[in-house]
Amino acid sequence: MIIAIVNQKGGCGKTTTAVNLSACLAAREARVLLIDLDPQSNATLGLGIEVDPGRSIHRILTDDGFEIAEAIYPTGVYNLDIIPATILLSGADLDLANIMGRESVLKNKTSSIIHGYDYITIDCAPSLSLLTINALAAADEVLIPIQAHYYALEGMKLLFHTIDIVKSRLNYQLAILGILPTFYDGRTSISRDVLKGLKDYFSSRILRTIIRVNSKLAEAPSANEPIHIYAPGSRGAEDYGRLADEILEKQKIMNREDAENAEEKIRV
């Protein structure tokens, strides 16, 4: 399964989610590849990866002859690999502008390695750029972190519109895995009210897991460790562990439904 972690609004915990969800899935015996598709390279920096600029996501996207496997780095975290980003990625939209099929470059490149991983997670830039379109075209599912703050719904209409366009033109199998409330502080009426509003508005699309405010989540990148290693007893580790379990459960249900549908087709 390829999961694009997307929200064009910055500061919603997107990279924190990409790194810690990937690491928690890996800790549950899944083989995971994290692709850093954000020019800020925070996922790469947060895992302490020293990058050769000639072996990064930028070259994968812009050099047709470069094999994606050459840009995969071990992270030092059990079962977790990464394709890192560098500042070169900030010019990727211009670099891709004249490439035929530019929206599907990542999809085409990942096809050669997809069977080597149980999950590929993509940390997208906080924008609806050509890089994000590439992530959506390559993904099976979209995970949307959203702050439990006022103005959290700002830009969501545009994001869902973009997902619909990609689904109709580039990737008809694209689905929304869920919306993940982040930065939730149950002590404040703002967080409680916004969470209620999100549930009322998005209904079943809101995941059961809620990521609570936790200082350890902010500290972990400085130690180049995911939260379940840096502070295994913290709220952050507990919440991202629950998120990994919820996604694993969702995939089991999807696999069971696919098997049942296949059997039904055979009977018909």
Side-chain angles (χ1 to χ4, degrees), residues 146 153 156 160 179 197-206:
I146 184 167
L153 294 177
M156 290 294 284
F160 278 102
I179 297 170
L198 290 172
K199 288 180 176 180
D200 289 344
Y201 191 83
F202 291 110
S203 187
S204 61
R205 283 182 167 173
I206 298 291

Side-chain angles (χ1 to χ4, degrees), residues 11-80:
C12 61
K14 181 177 51 56
T15 296
T16 298
T17 296
V19 170
N20 291 300
L21 171 60
S22 299
C24 285
L25 286 169
R28 284 153 175 77
E29 304 300 327
R31 185 93 172 108
V32 184
L33 173 67
L34 169 59
I35 298 177
D36 190 349
L37 205 61
D38 185 344
Q40 296 178 74
S41 311
N42 287 335
T44 300
L45 296 170
L47 287 170
I49 307 300
E50 295 185 11
V51 187
D52 173 357
R55 295 176 54 229
S56 71
I57 188 63
H58 178 267
R59 187 169 177 191
I60 289 169
L61 295 172
T62 58
D63 184 346
D64 187 54
F66 184 69
E67 295 294 331
I68 189 170
E70 296 180 51
I72 295 175
Y73 292 63
T75 64
V77 176
Y78 176 69
N79 267 348
L80 178 61

Side-chain angles (χ1 to χ4, degrees), residues 91-143:
D93 275 15
L94 289 175
D95 296 333
L96 288 167
N98 296 318
I99 294 178
M100 186 71 71
R102 57 187 177 271
E103 299 91 351
S104 300
V105 173
L106 184 61
K107 180 177 183 178
N108 295 334
K109 285 294 186 83
T110 54
S111 64
S112 65
I113 59 164
I114 190 170
H115 297 296
Y117 293 95
D118 299 301
Y119 291 92
I120 296 176
T121 56
I122 307 174
D123 182 25
C124 298
S127 66
L128 294 179
S129 63
L130 190 51
L131 288 174
T132 301
I133 300 300
N134 262 266
L136 294 173
D140 301 303
E141 305 277 349
V142 182
L143 176 62

